Amino acid sequence: NTFGADALRYWAASTKLGDDVRYQETDLKNGQKLITKLWNSAKFTFGMLKGYEGKQPKKLEPIDRWMLSKLQQVVEECTEHFEHYEFSKARVAAEVFFWHTLCDNYIEIIKHRFTAQPTDAQHSAQYVLSKSLLTVLKIFAPLLPYITEELYHLGYDKEKSIHLSAWP
């Protein structure tokens, strides 16, 4: 009753297939923290995407190209782990990318672009921010189906469900 289904699924994805795992409430708390961070970063992103038409800019800023390259790397890594049923490795790769690369680095670096009038640099950031969050939601969807579904409908809603959308 204290933790939701997504936090429990987060905990369940903490071990590799065939291994025993001990129940530790701290793992559920970590899952809940991830869900909260996902919610907060998505709400921030949706606020920064106001007025964004979803079109790819003609030119990307260097930091935005860097972010897309890191995004592609984590997609490839998580895809490989999921294909081999290594959910714990996929979870760790997605989590490290989300917490550190996306939230701690990229979002902090681009925040200043949203304080002035819209520019090409802001459009570039909006494109990459939108693409990055959508990809993160899709990567986390097998592990955190409820929060990812809710955020998908709040910000994207391109398909009936994130679980029916194409893998990144």
Side-chain angles (χ1 to χ4, degrees), residues 110-119 122:
I110 64 162
K111 273 184 185 177
H112 75 280
R113 291 196 217 170
F114 296 100
T115 57
Q117 292 295 322
T119 63
Q122 185 180 19

Side-chain angles (χ1 to χ4, degrees), residues 72-89:
Q72 184 59 38
Q73 288 174 3
V74 78
V75 166
E76 290 171 4
E77 185 177 354
C78 288
T79 300
E80 182 178 331
H81 293 317
F82 278 126
E83 286 175 350
H84 292 99
Y85 302 102
E86 296 174 328
F87 304 114
S88 62
K89 290 181 180 179

